[in-house]
Amino acid sequence: MVGYAFMGAAHSQGWRTAGRVFDLPLRPRLAAVAGRDGAAVRAAAAQHGWAAAETDWRALVARDDVQLVDICTPGDSHAEIAVAALDAGKHVLCEKPLANSVAEAEAMASAAERARARGQTAMVGFNYRRVPAIAYARRLIAEGRLGTLRHLRLAYLQDWLVDPDFPLTWRLRREHAGSGALGDLGAHIVDLAQHLAGEPVTGVSALAETFVRERPLPAGDPGRRGRVTVDDAALFTGRLASGALASFEATRMAAGRKNALRLEINGERGSLAFDMERLNELSFHDHTEPPASSGFRRILVTEPDHPYLDAWWPPGHGLGYEHTFVHQARDLLLAVAGGAPAAPSFADGLQVQRVLAAVEESAEKNAVYTPVPVPA
Amino acid sequence: MVGYAFMGAAHSQGWRTAGRVFDLPLRPRLAAVAGRDGAAVRAAAAQHGWAAAETDWRALVARDDVQLVDICTPGDSHAEIAVAALDAGKHVLCEKPLANSVAEAEAMASAAERARARGQTAMVGFNYRRVPAIAYARRLIAEGRLGTLRHLRLAYLQDWLVDPDFPLTWRLRREHAGSGALGDLGAHIVDLAQHLAGEPVTGVSALAETFVRERPLPAGDPGRRGRVTVDDAALFTGRLASGALASFEATRMAAGRKNALRLEINGERGSLAFDMERLNELSFHDHTEPPASSGFRRILVTEPDHPYLDAWWPPGHGLGYEHTFVHQARDLLLAVAGGAPAAPSFADGLQVQRVLAAVEESAEKNAVYTPVPVPA
Amino acid sequence: MVGYAFMGAAHSQGWRTAGRVFDLPLRPRLAAVAGRDGAAVRAAAAQHGWAAAETDWRALVARDDVQLVDICTPGDSHAEIAVAALDAGKHVLCEKPLANSVAEAEAMASAAERARARGQTAMVGFNYRRVPAIAYARRLIAEGRLGTLRHLRLAYLQDWLVDPDFPLTWRLRREHAGSGALGDLGAHIVDLAQHLAGEPVTGVSALAETFVRERPLPAGDPGRRGRVTVDDAALFTGRLASGALASFEATRMAAGRKNALRLEINGERGSLAFDMERLNELSFHDHTEPPASSGFRRILVTEPDHPYLDAWWPPGHGLGYEHTFVHQARDLLLAVAGGAPAAPSFADGLQVQRVLAAVEESAEKNAVYTPVPVPA
Amino acid sequence: MVGYAFMGAAHSQGWRTAGRVFDLPLRPRLAAVAGRDGAAVRAAAAQHGWAAAETDWRALVARDDVQLVDICTPGDSHAEIAVAALDAGKHVLCEKPLANSVAEAEAMASAAERARARGQTAMVGFNYRRVPAIAYARRLIAEGRLGTLRHLRLAYLQDWLVDPDFPLTWRLRREHAGSGALGDLGAHIVDLAQHLAGEPVTGVSALAETFVRERPLPAGDPGRRGRVTVDDAALFTGRLASGALASFEATRMAAGRKNALRLEINGERGSLAFDMERLNELSFHDHTEPPASSGFRRILVTEPDHPYLDAWWPPGHGLGYEHTFVHQARDLLLAVAGGAPAAPSFADGLQVQRVLAAVEESAEKNAVYTPVPVPA
């Protein structure tokens, strides 16, 4: 694993737990973790249970006892590490967004394509696909329970930038993060829209805004402020291949909303709604029922025949955020063991990147509707 | 009153009840109702308690015992009736949207301006402003409880057009309704955004769609279908004068949503959320409180010091949809009695019309950001 | 109508509105209202639309232009007025609880039985039966959608006595109110339990408490306090004839709960839940559905085929508390017109009274299980 | 660890994870697991990460490399194992309910008292105390945010016995489980009531019922049914030392409720509400605020200054059921390391047992109010 901050801790919990809960053909061994600060990475290794620590990701990639490289670094290093690891014959899990540009993402998708021919697996870490309620939503849509989709309504609302004195961390600098709320939060809801609908976004119209333009530097002399070079919020509308309308909102300025990844999908035969702040619940309306007794039902997605749930607790005993990483580890290990491609693939990650690029282009060009290149 | 269908019934209930519940300087007398079908309008008069029936709205306007004309007809007749009534010295209440075009709305606003100089009152029927929870939301914002606004998120979702065999009524024909979900539902949320924020929308970017392009004719030979000439759904983003970002969605294709007029507003100091399907509740988050004990509080807007509530029932004994019309009647009568202008004025209605026109223009021009003319 | 305070205002709104909204064989005429204070009753008559005012209820009962007497006074006068009105050949609507004792209620039920033989109708004002969601709940249970009932869980929570300085009004004195939360709130939930289940409560075990034993006198010299002679809260468990277990709680000491009449009913085939603070919604779980897609559905009880709704507004346009009185007036007028008995009858009210008496007896006797006499 | 079924899996996850997430003075080593079936216990050891397997719990207690014994067996074996382990100098964690009788629980509390003098720690596994929202509720009450308590309303509703063909497992046999819903679910809510209020239940009045009296035997010849010897549901009311009224309901017959451990507490200054099906949320009403802007606020208990949360994820990234076991392991290890007593102690578990015994006695004696012996 490369990187050991928030994502590194979450991934570690995933790797440690997947084999204890699920019956898997492969049991992961936490071989080594890499980071630039030697003392810190050794402490992280001890804390999270990694057998060794490296201060250069290249050394990690070079290790014989490493078969899979899990990339948990900021977006600006994804491409280099992922391509090197794939070319070195490793399986790769890469955090989202796949990259900071379409060009990088294309290079990564090509590397993954080449590696796939050699039996390697590459996956991008859109972990929210593995929330059981969302996985179940995908199943309902795939089974046709919603019919033709008309509307997708997705928002990812957080509030940690409301405070104008929140410091200027790497997530607020374009050179590291690529974009702001767009890449951090928007990437998730673009992936979910395409995944749930089973079809690509074909065009977007966007507005973006940076409300607080200067923030205190994270350390060093007090009182100094630096320029925020990414968006605080991005709003966009779009169309999917089938003609459904979609609206997206990504912001870190929604006071009181902590991790409100919300989605609502309306089809001809039914509707679904979900909020990550209540992640064990899915709301489902079956429009084919008699109107008098119909309504959005709150499904507790904790039954044994819900996705991932047969390995966990009895009904009603809910899961949490980190379980998405346990499920991600499980699914990736199953793919690796089976020599099968994993989803979301790097190609899926690239397609998300293309949507994000179109959003940025539209936002710069007065919101004009901007097509997204879609592979044939 | 001109027209006696859904809106006519609701307005009648408002006129009958306002003076029984509120202490008013004027008590309304239900003098006459007008409609083209003589038998039907006489039955409506008897049902709803109007003393007389007319088959020509001009006759109603000409009556000496009529001081106030309440216009509940489709949008294509608003301008002609309202201008005639104002010019005849009557006070006027006109259903929303004010008109089917900016030009008509301008003529109406001019007539209202002239009439105001003569002591007449004109009001447009954006009744949702009179939901107590929304009136209270306006009070909280005006008091600064939300601070600088960052985001407005408004949606008005219904589902009565999901069924492709729903007939082609006047609301689905441009010549009568002006537009579809946009004018019917979108007008409400544009008015609420501008009213709640206390500032105008200055530009929009829009997508619109008609999912079901042909529908059965409402009567006559079975099997014949006609062309739907209005939008089923309109999505738009925009900016307010202060720089806040706003998103709007109006649709009659959201399966399972019956009357989901939802709004959420995020400011630097707090946030508000509301859903018309739970009209007695307002969610309020105070962002200045300690994080550990803060959260969206569900305020039951039924306390005596909430707007309109001192005249109604004890706390917790909720009101319904029709009470907005009782409150509208009350507010209009107070304005008439005081010789004061009423809100929302025809000028407010015109400003909504300008936003709707910009939405239509943007939707035709590839979603390009389209400014809304704002009065100095 | 006798009495014109809170209940009088609500009933007046019911009488004024029923004939405007529903198609009824009889249209009510608001003939006269009675109260002891001449000036006040005349003001109330003018406010609420009654043609005449009387200062003695006997005069009202004696009027030839009065065919129906609506009793909205405190419980200690119900028996005398109702029996006199019935014996004078009037139809009677009497507020709940029917009386302050079983003996009074028996006399009233006998008078109603005699009157029924003469074609008169008597109804007790358990208005919550006419909340559309509750009427629909009754329909679902009667249709067998819940199967054999196992649990009824009812609570009626208010908070206006939390403040220890709330004054000692008539509702806090046994001689006027009979009991406290028990008769005021508990009577409603006992009636609903028996009505919804379609079977009587056969025994109870109860605790009661008066938390604040002295309160300021409502007027007169400041600082004087009087003794509260009724319960602040009553908790009881019980069984229904079928063996279902029930729990009841009535309190005016639940801080933050304004009018939380909540019920949940679990049967072998399904469950229902309702909260009066969200009166337009009914939660329904169908236990015969596949577990993965089942859950409590939130039915908006605003469809045309829901009880009472065909006369009101389109789906999603909710009703309020006072509509229960409009529906009560409608149902009573239909019964009167048809010469049919009305529900809830005085016999139903008597049966509630027997449960309340058993609760009081159990609470005095160390909670011992106390049977309720049930008619054969 | 003794036992490796549902509770064993949950405890294992707790032991594996606590030291990875929290900074602890002791890091647990999973030495050995015991169970009667050799093959099964070896498989469980491999699955859950225990270094060794034993087929006799006595052998486990005798191991030198075991310092702490975690008892996850049915209630009928708790006393023997716990006393033996304590007498052998081990620290002990014992699943709830502490025992199947007051006598057993007294023996266990005595053994724990003796062991405590030798520096050993004993804890009973009322894991729900470690749900962050509940721990935070306890903090708010201890700080006086609710003032004097008036009402506690607790219910624990599940539905796995609604199906009359659910088999007769050990949980449905008195000789193993002691009681039914009462000990399984009721024990949790009795502990929470006493823990949250900070005072004991002093008396109860109870009803209990077994709705389905015979069930299929879990294995063996099909068609054979056996007698259910425990309660399906128990309802009881009671009083706390301060005079607050409490109601309790434990059932496994509430169709559609999966793990609905619900509590609501009303005090003079505020109220709290919680539902385990939404375990990351606490509803809090502050009754000292102005009525117009007050209401139950939904606190997402995921902030760094909420209990246990500083070690987990950013705000809004919720936890799940199993985290209670991680927190339990953490708290127990901190107590062991500090030589401090742990809560809930065996004495706390004994006090719960006394309440359960009083409930059973009351249910047998016609619901008569039955005092609970409370230690001086």
Side-chain angles (χ1 to χ4, degrees):
Chain A
M1 185 172 75
V2 190
Y4 50 83
F6 168 27
M7 274 305 107
H11 282 231
S12 298
Q13 174 74 354
W15 293 121
R16 281 194 310 264
T17 306
R20 297 297 175 196
V21 173
F22 293 97
D23 230 355
L24 295 176
L26 292 174
R27 183 160 285 184
R29 205 173 32 79
L30 283 66
V33 59
R36 278 170 297 192
D37 177 334
V41 72
R42 281 188 298 273
Q47 178 75 20
H48 296 305
W50 296 87
E54 298 281 0
T55 55
D56 186 338
W57 62 262
R58 288 170 195 84
L60 182 120
V61 167
R63 287 176 72 114
D64 284 343
D65 63 346
V66 166
Q67 277 100 47
L68 188 156
V69 175
D70 179 1
I71 305 171
C72 295
T73 56
D76 56 345
S77 55
H78 287 183
E80 189 181 7
I81 304 173
V83 172
L86 287 167
D87 288 351
K90 313 295 188 188
H91 307 286
V92 170
L93 171 62
C94 181
E95 254 308 309
K96 48 57 58 184
L98 187 58
N100 280 1
S101 70
V102 169
E104 287 174 342
E106 283 173 337
M108 295 168 79
S110 297
E113 194 58 34
R114 293 191 305 269
R116 184 180 164 181
R118 298 189 298 264
Q120 290 165 249
T121 300
M123 185 194 269
V124 55
F126 286 115
N127 62 305
Y128 288 124
R129 289 192 182 195
R130 283 97 164 66
V131 174
I134 290 181
Y136 185 58
R138 171 61 194 147
R139 186 189 293 174
L140 288 170
I141 292 171
E143 289 171 1
R145 298 293 292 272
L146 265 61
T148 304
L149 302 187
R150 299 302 195 195
H151 290 288
L152 292 92
R153 204 169 291 116
L154 298 104
Y156 197 161
L157 312 178
Q158 296 184 343
D159 73 354
W160 49 282
L161 291 185
V162 170
D163 177 2
D165 291 328
F166 186 93
L168 191 69
T169 63
W170 71 264
R171 286 185 185 272
L172 298 170
R173 310 185 82 140
R174 174 165 300 270
E175 62 272 30
H176 297 303
S179 65
L182 179 61
D184 182 17
L185 309 180
H188 276 299
I189 52 179
V190 168
D191 178 65
L192 288 179
Q194 299 189 134
H195 172 58
L196 287 168
E199 48 173 336
V201 171
T202 56
V204 291
S205 162
L207 300 182
E209 186 62 72
T210 305
F211 293 110
V212 176
R213 312 242 167 149
E214 296 207 327
R215 291 184 174 275
L217 296 184
D221 30 8
R224 285 192 54 211
R225 301 177 84 87
R227 198 169 150 68
V228 176
T229 49
V230 299
D231 61 280
D232 283 335
L235 248 71
F236 44 110
T237 56
R239 294 181 196 270
L240 274 76
S242 66
L245 289 172
S247 74
F248 300 87
E249 181 167 4
T251 181
R252 302 187 284 208
M253 286 295 219
R257 300 304 179 190
K258 302 303 173 185
N259 198 36
L261 190 169
R262 297 179 194 162
L263 59 91
E264 178 167 328
I265 304 180
N266 309 124
E268 258 195 308
R269 298 168 54 83
S271 292
L272 288 172
F274 171 82
D275 184 341
M276 188 65 197
E277 291 184 355
R278 288 180 172 164
L279 79 157
N280 291 293
E281 302 177 26
L282 182 69
S283 281
F284 171 48
H285 165 70
D286 183 339
H287 204 64
T288 66
E289 293 190 339
S293 59
S294 78
F296 278 82
R297 64 186 73 180
R298 168 191 174 242
I299 301 173
L300 271 177
V301 187
T302 56
E303 296 292 316
D305 48 353
H306 284 138
Y308 305 109
L309 262 297
D310 55 342
W312 291 105
W313 317 115
H317 295 68
L319 302 188
Y321 165 72
E322 83 213 37
H323 293 77
T324 58
F325 298 98
V326 182
H327 302 164
Q328 183 169 271
R330 165 195 179 271
D331 291 346
L332 181 52
L333 291 169
L334 285 173
V336 166
S345 67
F346 277 20
D348 295 331
L350 165 59
Q351 198 55 33
V352 170
Q353 210 67 40
R354 287 183 179 130
V355 177
L356 302 184
V359 167
E360 292 197 288
E361 186 182 332
S362 173
E364 281 158 22
K365 290 185 178 169
N366 221 13
V368 72
Y369 195 75
T370 303
V372 178
V374 172
Chain B
M1 186 171 77
V2 190
Y4 50 83
F6 169 26
M7 275 304 108
H11 282 232
S12 297
Q13 174 75 353
W15 293 120
R16 282 194 311 264
T17 307
R20 297 297 175 196
V21 173
F22 293 97
D23 230 355
L24 296 176
L26 292 174
R27 182 158 288 183
R29 205 170 35 78
L30 282 67
V33 58
R36 278 170 297 192
D37 178 334
V41 73
R42 281 188 298 273
Q47 178 75 21
H48 297 305
W50 296 87
E54 299 280 0
T55 54
D56 185 337
W57 63 262
R58 289 171 193 83
L60 181 120
V61 167
R63 288 176 72 114
D64 284 342
D65 62 346
V66 167
Q67 278 100 47
L68 189 154
V69 175
D70 180 1
I71 305 171
C72 295
T73 56
D76 55 345
S77 56
H78 287 184
E80 188 180 9
I81 303 174
V83 172
L86 287 166
D87 287 352
K90 314 296 188 187
H91 307 287
V92 170
L93 171 62
C94 182
E95 255 308 310
K96 46 61 55 185
L98 188 57
N100 280 2
S101 72
V102 170
E104 287 174 342
E106 283 174 338
M108 294 169 80
S110 297
E113 195 57 33
R114 290 192 306 270
R116 183 179 164 182
R118 297 189 299 263
Q120 291 165 249
T121 300
M123 185 194 269
V124 55
F126 285 115
N127 62 304
Y128 288 124
R129 289 191 181 196
R130 283 97 164 66
V131 173
I134 290 181
Y136 184 58
R138 171 61 195 148
R139 187 190 292 173
L140 288 170
I141 293 171
E143 288 172 2
R145 298 292 292 273
L146 264 60
T148 305
L149 302 188
R150 298 303 195 196
H151 290 288
L152 292 92
R153 204 169 291 116
L154 298 103
Y156 197 161
L157 313 177
Q158 296 184 342
D159 73 354
W160 48 282
L161 291 186
V162 170
D163 177 2
D165 290 328
F166 186 93
L168 190 71
T169 64
W170 71 264
R171 286 185 186 272
L172 298 170
R173 310 184 81 140
R174 175 166 298 272
E175 62 272 29
H176 297 302
S179 65
L182 179 61
D184 181 18
L185 309 180
H188 276 299
I189 53 180
V190 168
D191 178 65
L192 287 179
Q194 299 190 131
H195 172 58
L196 287 168
E199 48 173 335
V201 171
T202 56
V204 291
S205 162
L207 300 182
E209 186 62 73
T210 306
F211 292 110
V212 176
R213 312 241 167 150
E214 297 207 324
R215 290 184 175 273
L217 296 183
D221 29 9
R224 285 191 53 211
R225 301 177 85 87
R227 198 169 148 67
V228 176
T229 48
V230 298
D231 60 281
D232 283 336
L235 247 70
F236 45 109
T237 56
R239 294 181 196 270
L240 274 76
S242 66
L245 289 172
S247 74
F248 299 87
E249 180 167 5
T251 180
R252 301 187 285 208
M253 286 295 220
R257 301 304 179 190
K258 301 303 172 185
N259 198 36
L261 190 170
R262 298 180 193 161
L263 58 92
E264 179 166 328
I265 303 180
N266 309 123
E268 257 196 307
R269 297 170 54 85
S271 292
L272 289 172
F274 170 82
D275 185 340
M276 187 65 198
E277 290 184 355
R278 287 180 172 163
L279 80 158
N280 292 292
E281 302 177 26
L282 182 69
S283 282
F284 171 48
H285 165 70
D286 184 338
H287 204 64
T288 66
E289 292 191 339
S293 59
S294 78
F296 278 82
R297 66 186 72 182
R298 168 191 173 241
I299 301 174
L300 269 178
V301 187
T302 56
E303 295 292 315
D305 48 353
H306 284 137
Y308 305 109
L309 263 297
D310 56 342
W312 292 106
W313 317 114
H317 295 68
L319 303 188
Y321 165 73
E322 82 211 39
H323 292 76
T324 58
F325 297 97
V326 182
H327 302 163
Q328 182 169 271
R330 167 197 179 268
D331 291 347
L332 181 51
L333 291 170
L334 285 172
V336 166
S345 67
F346 277 21
D348 295 330
L350 165 60
Q351 199 55 33
V352 170
Q353 210 68 40
R354 287 183 179 130
V355 177
L356 301 185
V359 167
E360 293 196 287
E361 186 183 330
S362 174
E364 281 158 21
K365 290 186 178 168
N366 221 12
V368 73
Y369 194 76
T370 303
V372 178
V374 172
Chain C
M1 185 171 76
V2 190
Y4 49 83
F6 169 25
M7 275 304 108
H11 283 231
S12 297
Q13 175 74 354
W15 294 119
R16 282 195 310 264
T17 307
R20 297 296 175 197
V21 173
F22 293 97
D23 229 355
L24 296 176
L26 292 174
R27 184 158 286 184
R29 203 172 36 77
L30 283 67
V33 58
R36 277 170 299 192
D37 178 333
V41 72
R42 280 189 299 273
Q47 179 75 21
H48 296 306
W50 296 87
E54 298 281 0
T55 54
D56 186 338
W57 63 261
R58 288 170 194 86
L60 182 119
V61 167
R63 287 176 71 114
D64 284 345
D65 63 345
V66 166
Q67 278 99 46
L68 188 155
V69 175
D70 179 0
I71 305 171
C72 295
T73 56
D76 56 345
S77 56
H78 287 184
E80 188 181 7
I81 304 174
V83 172
L86 288 166
D87 287 352
K90 314 296 188 188
H91 307 286
V92 170
L93 172 62
C94 181
E95 255 308 310
K96 49 56 61 184
L98 187 58
N100 279 2
S101 70
V102 169
E104 287 174 343
E106 284 174 336
M108 296 169 79
S110 296
E113 194 58 32
R114 291 191 307 269
R116 183 179 165 183
R118 298 188 299 263
Q120 291 165 248
T121 300
M123 184 195 268
V124 56
F126 286 115
N127 62 304
Y128 288 124
R129 289 193 182 193
R130 283 104 168 57
V131 174
I134 290 181
Y136 184 58
R138 172 61 196 148
R139 187 190 292 173
L140 288 170
I141 293 171
E143 289 172 1
R145 297 292 292 272
L146 265 61
T148 304
L149 302 188
R150 298 302 196 197
H151 291 288
L152 292 92
R153 204 167 292 117
L154 298 104
Y156 197 160
L157 313 178
Q158 296 184 343
D159 74 353
W160 49 281
L161 291 185
V162 170
D163 177 1
D165 291 327
F166 186 93
L168 191 70
T169 63
W170 72 265
R171 286 185 185 271
L172 298 170
R173 310 185 80 142
R174 175 166 297 271
E175 61 273 30
H176 296 303
S179 66
L182 179 60
D184 182 18
L185 309 180
H188 276 300
I189 52 179
V190 168
D191 178 64
L192 288 179
Q194 299 191 132
H195 172 57
L196 287 168
E199 47 172 334
V201 171
T202 55
V204 291
S205 161
L207 299 183
E209 186 62 74
T210 306
F211 292 110
V212 176
R213 312 242 167 149
E214 296 207 326
R215 290 184 176 274
L217 297 183
D221 28 10
R224 285 190 55 210
R225 300 177 85 86
R227 198 170 149 66
V228 176
T229 48
V230 299
D231 60 280
D232 283 337
L235 247 71
F236 44 110
T237 56
R239 294 181 196 272
L240 274 75
S242 66
L245 289 172
S247 74
F248 300 87
E249 180 167 6
T251 180
R252 302 187 285 209
M253 285 295 218
R257 302 304 179 190
K258 301 304 173 184
N259 198 36
L261 190 170
R262 297 180 194 162
L263 58 91
E264 179 166 328
I265 303 179
N266 309 126
E268 258 196 306
R269 298 169 53 84
S271 292
L272 289 172
F274 171 82
D275 184 340
M276 187 65 197
E277 290 184 355
R278 288 180 172 164
L279 80 158
N280 292 293
E281 301 177 25
L282 182 69
S283 282
F284 171 48
H285 165 70
D286 184 338
H287 204 63
T288 66
E289 293 191 338
S293 59
S294 79
F296 278 81
R297 65 186 75 178
R298 168 190 173 243
I299 301 173
L300 270 178
V301 187
T302 57
E303 296 291 315
D305 47 354
H306 284 137
Y308 305 109
L309 262 299
D310 55 342
W312 291 107
W313 317 115
H317 295 69
L319 303 187
Y321 165 73
E322 82 213 40
H323 293 76
T324 58
F325 298 98
V326 182
H327 302 164
Q328 182 169 271
R330 166 196 179 269
D331 291 347
L332 180 52
L333 291 169
L334 285 172
V336 165
S345 67
F346 276 22
D348 294 331
L350 165 60
Q351 198 56 33
V352 171
Q353 210 67 39
R354 287 184 178 131
V355 176
L356 301 185
V359 167
E360 292 197 288
E361 186 183 331
S362 174
E364 281 158 22
K365 290 185 177 168
N366 220 14
V368 74
Y369 194 76
T370 303
V372 178
V374 172
Chain D
M1 187 171 74
V2 190
Y4 49 84
F6 169 25
M7 275 304 107
H11 282 232
S12 297
Q13 174 75 352
W15 293 120
R16 282 194 310 263
T17 307
R20 298 296 174 196
V21 173
F22 293 98
D23 229 354
L24 296 176
L26 292 174
R27 183 159 286 183
R29 205 172 33 77
L30 283 66
V33 58
R36 278 171 298 192
D37 178 334
V41 73
R42 280 189 299 274
Q47 177 76 19
H48 296 306
W50 296 87
E54 299 280 1
T55 54
D56 185 339
W57 63 262
R58 289 170 193 84
L60 182 120
V61 167
R63 287 177 71 113
D64 283 343
D65 62 346
V66 166
Q67 277 100 47
L68 189 154
V69 175
D70 179 1
I71 305 171
C72 294
T73 55
D76 56 345
S77 55
H78 286 185
E80 188 181 7
I81 304 173
V83 173
L86 287 167
D87 287 351
K90 313 296 189 189
H91 306 286
V92 170
L93 171 62
C94 181
E95 254 307 310
K96 48 58 57 184
L98 187 57
N100 279 1
S101 71
V102 170
E104 287 174 343
E106 283 174 338
M108 295 169 79
S110 296
E113 194 56 34
R114 291 192 306 270
R116 183 179 164 182
R118 298 188 298 263
Q120 290 165 249
T121 300
M123 185 194 269
V124 55
F126 285 115
N127 61 304
Y128 288 124
R129 288 192 182 195
R130 284 101 166 60
V131 174
I134 290 181
Y136 184 59
R138 171 62 195 147
R139 188 190 291 174
L140 288 171
I141 292 171
E143 289 172 1
R145 298 292 292 273
L146 264 60
T148 304
L149 302 188
R150 298 304 195 195
H151 291 288
L152 292 93
R153 204 168 292 117
L154 298 104
Y156 198 161
L157 313 178
Q158 296 185 343
D159 73 353
W160 49 281
L161 291 186
V162 170
D163 177 2
D165 291 327
F166 187 92
L168 191 70
T169 64
W170 71 264
R171 286 184 186 272
L172 297 171
R173 310 185 82 141
R174 175 165 298 270
E175 62 272 29
H176 296 303
S179 65
L182 179 61
D184 182 18
L185 309 180
H188 276 299
I189 53 179
V190 168
D191 179 64
L192 287 179
Q194 298 190 133
H195 172 59
L196 287 168
E199 46 173 336
V201 171
T202 55
V204 291
S205 162
L207 300 182
E209 186 63 72
T210 305
F211 293 110
V212 176
R213 312 241 167 150
E214 296 207 325
R215 290 185 175 273
L217 296 183
D221 29 8
R224 285 191 56 211
R225 302 176 84 86
R227 197 169 150 68
V228 176
T229 49
V230 299
D231 60 280
D232 283 336
L235 248 69
F236 45 109
T237 56
R239 294 181 196 271
L240 275 76
S242 66
L245 289 172
S247 74
F248 300 87
E249 181 168 5
T251 181
R252 303 188 284 209
M253 286 294 220
R257 301 305 179 190
K258 301 303 173 185
N259 198 36
L261 190 169
R262 297 179 194 162
L263 58 92
E264 179 166 328
I265 303 180
N266 309 125
E268 258 196 307
R269 298 169 54 83
S271 292
L272 289 172
F274 171 81
D275 185 341
M276 188 65 197
E277 290 184 355
R278 287 180 172 164
L279 79 158
N280 292 293
E281 301 177 26
L282 182 69
S283 282
F284 171 48
H285 165 69
D286 184 339
H287 204 63
T288 66
E289 293 190 339
S293 59
S294 78
F296 278 81
R297 65 187 73 180
R298 168 189 174 244
I299 301 173
L300 270 177
V301 187
T302 56
E303 295 292 315
D305 47 354
H306 284 137
Y308 305 109
L309 263 298
D310 57 342
W312 291 105
W313 317 115
H317 295 67
L319 303 187
Y321 165 73
E322 83 213 36
H323 293 77
T324 58
F325 297 97
V326 182
H327 301 164
Q328 182 169 271
R330 167 196 178 271
D331 291 348
L332 180 52
L333 291 170
L334 285 172
V336 166
S345 67
F346 276 22
D348 295 331
L350 165 60
Q351 199 56 33
V352 171
Q353 210 67 40
R354 286 182 180 132
V355 177
L356 301 185
V359 167
E360 293 197 286
E361 186 182 331
S362 175
E364 281 157 22
K365 291 184 176 169
N366 220 14
V368 72
Y369 194 76
T370 303
V372 178
V374 172

